[in-house]
Amino acid sequence: MKKTDFYYDLPEELIAQTPVEPRNASRMMAVNRNTGAISHHHFHELGQLLHKGDLLVLNDSRVLPARLYGEREGTHSFVEFLLLQQRGEKLWEIICRPAKKCKKGVRFSFGGGRLVAEIQEILDDGKRIVKFECEGNFYTALAEVGQMPLPPYIHEQLQNKERYQTVYSRELGSAAAPTAGLHFTKDMLSDLQEMGINIAYVTLHVGLGTFRPVKEDDILQHHMHSEHFVLPDETAQLINQTKANGGRVISVGTTSCRTLESAAQICGKTLHGCESDTSIFIYPSYQFQVIDGLITNFHLPESTLIMLVSAFMGYWNTMYAYKEAVKERYRFFSFGDCMCILP
């Protein structure tokens, strides 16, 4: 398949700039995975679509305030860092701009010196390895100085940093939010559990590679960046039990999906706890090993994420659903509405 096969026309005004309040007031398109049949709901009605014994698998990764604005020491010229992945004690892989200022050995100051960074290495792809210095705990300093790394299509200022975190986030390490989970409230999770819906967690630290544009028209030429994931043994056993009891394993988000399908490549049919890096690329013709359902936001045209959705519920079903979402004025992308795809 070609990249252009996954294009759809999206009016700019449908790109959500701010999150809705409360979180679970967002709209939800329910799609039958097999037939493509569509119905329209709100997220707080999710329980009406689930069965007792179903299992929701959520990604508990927490977003770092990974965007830093500062200046080059001695010149006061502007620089922007975006933290991507930790490589050691206060050692990080970053992207920066303007890149021409970020030469090896050059030092930068953020927050009036609360954080100081020195370029250690320039990688082949243009990323940098930097060493940070600070008084006290690095993450405390980062929380004081850093800003949420909102996607470039969001132009509004985020008033509350926690609105770009899921209510269950706990494992710090993502450069972007696992946005399908932003619709849940704590009360709603409790209510679902009282209904007999099971909840389990995985961790995948979201890197910007997930959102990297597909440049090659032949999608098979696209290479995914690697991301680190953890499947706890407790979650693996819950998945195995759900399958054995005839329940459905429903992935909340493409990151949870990629974690579970990556784990299946390691474990086989019966899952167990594991931890690894994954660069799995899921596109039509992929045979899913673990998930039966998927909750996911509406994704960018020609992105690897819409390709994953197309693999899960069929190409024509997906493109028709997106056309309907535009027609029905759903809100798109990170702060937008969502789909619930079930058999």
Side-chain angles (χ1 to χ4, degrees), residues 53-207:
D54 283 345
L55 174 65
L56 293 174
V57 182
L58 288 68
N59 180 8
D60 64 5
S61 183
R62 187 167 174 82
V63 185
L64 290 159
R67 195 178 299 278
L68 293 169
Y69 298 106
E71 59 187 24
R72 179 176 174 174
E73 285 191 343
T75 67
H76 305 298
S77 56
F78 170 83
V79 70
E80 178 185 349
F81 280 12
L82 185 62
L83 278 60
L84 298 179
Q85 188 174 3
Q86 188 166 13
R87 292 295 192 91
E89 179 70 21
K90 295 182 182 176
L91 201 65
W92 284 81
E93 178 183 321
I94 68 156
I95 54 177
C96 55
R97 66 183 179 100
K100 62 182 180 181
K101 294 181 182 178
C102 300
K103 298 177 181 177
K104 187 174 180 179
V106 176
R107 291 168 60 85
F108 298 92
S109 175
F110 304 92
R114 184 70 177 92
L115 276 176
V116 175
E118 181 176 315
I119 307 293
Q120 303 285 302
E121 183 181 354
I122 301 175
L123 304 178
D124 291 340
D125 59 2
K127 299 188 184 76
R128 269 61 169 173
I129 303 296
V130 301
K131 179 82 172 181
F132 284 97
E133 303 169 13
C134 65
E135 290 284 337
N137 182 273
F138 169 77
Y139 291 104
T140 301
L142 184 64
E144 294 173 9
V145 176
Q147 296 187 21
M148 280 296 168
L150 295 180
Y153 49 74
I154 294 177
H155 309 298
E156 296 286 333
Q157 197 75 20
L158 184 63
Q159 300 303 317
N160 176 8
K161 285 184 179 182
E162 284 301 307
R163 284 305 272 110
Y164 196 57
Q165 305 278 14
T166 63
V167 296
Y168 49 81
S169 64
R170 55 190 175 192
E171 300 293 338
L172 197 62
S174 278
T179 53
L182 294 179
H183 306 282
F184 284 97
T185 66
K186 290 182 178 179
D187 286 345
M188 186 173 169
L189 287 169
S190 297
D191 291 344
L192 289 171
Q193 287 178 300
E194 288 181 9
M195 292 171 52
I197 311 302
N198 295 313
I199 308 287
Y201 297 93
V202 296
T203 303
L204 182 139
H205 291 314
V206 187

